[in-house]
Amino acid sequence: MTLTLKRIFSDKTLLVTLFMSLLALIFGTVKPSDIDMKTILTLLSLIIVISIYEHLTILNHIANLIIEKCNTTRGIILVIFLFSFFGSMFFTNDVAILTLVPIVFNISKKIKIPKIAVISLMTIYANLGSSITPFGNPQNIYLVSFFHLSIVDFLSLSLPIGLVSFLTLLLCLFFFPKDKISQLKSTELTVPRKHLLALLLTTLIVLLGVLSFIPIVFSLIASLLCTAYVDRTIYETVDYGIILTFVNFFIIVGAVGRIPAIHLFLEHVTTTTFSIFSTAIISSQLISNVPAAVLLSKFTNHVSAIYLGVTVGGLGTIVASLANLLALRQYHLLSDDQSTKAFFAKFTVYNIVYLLVFFIAGLLLLH
């Protein structure tokens, strides 16, 4: 419990949103319905399951096992990008970053790779890859829940931009050297078979809940039971701060959306798909794409424009996506050469370039 509270109160994003939500409760108008409970329960179920995967070191083992087969620097970078892109689809962009940033640092100690460029692009492709599935990131979970989208409906939105993202991933590899390296060895995975089977079954139940085939509360119960079965100490490692931050987002957005001037402004700028798309991108740069999705969903039913806007809007500034902030925090914690400022500068440049590219791609997909 002490560890959990320490993590919660050291989360600056949570503390900032908590302060803002308190102001919203005191001076604004907030309704209980502002908090989307299905989104909250879905996130909690996923985060608990992800914590089990992390505890059993399964994600790290998979990444290291694939990297072991590479014999060039470009090959290793390709695997990192692919694992970030496809892994984020199923384990969220946050988990992809938490898993891969330490791996990149470990690799950089053994061979020479452009660490800042790799981590920056890896984060970009975690954001883009996570946008392809309904459970890849928080804003997708919310949009699927709020607009009652089926898996077919959602994939019709996500697959086109997913294809564009994958093509840019392959193209950007030509900017990295193809130097020969000695193969890296991975450690053997030792997970009890009964724990692995329980985790796979729980994952299936959680995904069924995310996709609304079963009530989401069943998914939450399954994830809690699996945690108790595997190791009760996992409860203390779950990032509850993300859940509380989301509750704060819902409260803040509910209050902001009822401010008369902002309400009128948003009604004015959500009349066409282009204006919704552009507003989603701009607002994401300032308040992050998750609250931007929640805010704009109250004013329009053009889900394709919101989806593309917050997907593209996750690129750009460091606050455009919570995953961006997480990448910066991870780099700062693991770096021992005081290069955080250089990372911030280069990370921003890469993101702005991708923001411009995907702004054009988003416009073409809208029309």
Side-chain angles (χ1 to χ4, degrees):
M1 180 62 73
T2 303
L3 176 62
T4 301
L5 291 175
K6 184 178 179 180
R7 289 183 61 183
I8 288 175
F9 287 106
S10 64
D11 189 329
K12 293 180 181 178
T13 304
L14 169 61
L15 295 178
V16 170
T17 57
L18 177 60
F19 175 73
M20 295 175 66
S21 67
L22 289 175
L23 291 179
L25 288 168
I26 295 170
F27 300 106
T29 303
V30 179
K31 298 180 180 179
S33 58
D34 290 333
I35 301 174
D36 189 319
M37 286 308 300
K38 182 172 188 243
T39 300
I40 296 298
L41 294 178
T42 300
L43 273 174
L44 183 56
S45 302
L46 284 167
I47 289 170
I48 292 172
V49 168
I50 288 164
S51 296
I52 301 173
Y53 275 97
E54 290 178 338
H55 178 78
L56 297 176
T57 68
I58 292 174
L59 300 181
N60 273 313
H61 178 75
I62 294 172
N64 285 328
L65 189 63
I66 297 173
I67 290 171
E68 182 184 347
K69 307 302 179 182
C70 300
N71 53 20
T72 66
T73 51
R74 185 183 294 176
I76 283 184
I77 292 169
L78 170 62
V79 168
I80 292 171
F81 287 175
L82 290 177
F83 194 83
S84 180
F85 186 72
F86 289 104
S88 64
M89 294 182 194
F90 302 99
F91 297 104
T92 77
N93 48 358
D94 291 347
V95 172
I97 291 165
L98 286 170
T99 303
L100 290 174
V101 171
I103 290 175
V104 172
F105 269 88
N106 287 332
I107 292 173
S108 68
K109 294 175 183 177
K110 301 173 183 177
I111 61 172
K112 185 178 179 181
I113 59 172
K115 186 168 56 181
I116 292 179
V118 170
I119 293 175
S120 298
L121 290 171
M122 182 197 79
T123 304
I124 288 172
Y125 284 111
N127 281 326
L128 293 172
S130 69
S131 70
I132 298 174
T133 59
F135 39 79
N137 56 45
Q139 62 268 26
N140 286 3
I141 293 171
Y142 171 76
L143 291 174
V144 168
S145 173
F146 186 84
F147 289 104
H148 306 290
L149 301 177
S150 68
I151 184 68
V152 175
D153 293 333
F154 184 84
L155 290 178
S156 68
L157 297 176
S158 66
L159 287 180
I161 196 166
L163 178 60
V164 174
S165 303
F166 184 67
L167 291 176
T168 63
L169 185 156
L170 297 178
L171 288 173
C172 80
L173 289 169
F174 291 100
F175 293 93
F176 293 96
K178 197 176 181 181
D179 300 330
K180 290 282 185 180
I181 59 170
S182 57
Q183 290 184 327
L184 303 177
K185 297 295 182 182
S186 64
T187 56
E188 186 176 349
L189 179 66
T190 55
V191 177
R193 182 181 177 85
K194 59 182 182 179
H195 288 171
L196 185 60
L197 291 175
L199 180 55
L200 292 175
L201 177 60
T202 302
T203 302
L204 176 61
I205 295 172
V206 169
L207 294 183
L208 289 174
V210 171
L211 298 174
S212 300
F213 288 110
I214 61 175
I216 192 62
V217 68
F218 291 165
S219 298
L220 178 58
I221 292 171
S223 64
L224 291 171
L225 291 175
C226 184
T227 303
Y229 178 67
V230 173
D231 189 342
R232 291 178 183 271
T233 62
I234 298 173
Y235 289 126
E236 297 181 13
T237 66
V238 175
D239 192 354
Y240 300 105
I242 294 178
I243 304 300
L244 297 175
T245 299
F246 244 76
V247 172
N248 293 334
F249 278 150
F250 283 127
I251 293 172
I252 295 164
V253 168
V256 168
R258 293 187 183 93
I259 297 174
I262 293 179
H263 188 92
L264 289 172
F265 174 75
L266 290 173
E267 283 187 335
H268 179 70
V269 298
T270 53
T271 53
T272 67
T273 54
F274 173 75
S275 63
I276 297 165
F277 174 69
S278 302
T279 302
I281 292 176
I282 295 170
S283 57
S284 295
Q285 303 308 300
L286 303 173
I287 63 173
S288 182
N289 55 1
V290 176
V294 176
L295 182 61
L296 292 177
S297 66
K298 311 295 184 182
F299 294 89
T300 178
N301 59 359
H302 288 295
V303 63
S304 60
I306 297 178
Y307 164 77
L308 286 172
V310 296
T311 296
V312 176
L315 309 170
T317 65
I318 198 73
V319 299
S321 167
L322 291 176
N324 294 351
L325 289 169
L326 185 60
L328 177 64
R329 184 170 68 177
Q330 283 286 97
Y331 186 92
H332 177 70
L333 291 174
L334 294 170
S335 179
D336 57 0
D337 55 6
Q338 303 298 313
S339 59
T340 303
K341 289 183 179 178
F343 174 80
F344 176 81
K346 292 182 180 180
F347 181 89
T348 303
V349 170
Y350 284 118
N351 266 270
I352 290 174
V353 170
Y354 272 78
L355 176 62
L356 294 174
V357 170
F358 278 87
F359 176 76
I360 295 171
L363 286 180
L364 294 175
L365 290 173
L366 273 179
H367 298 287

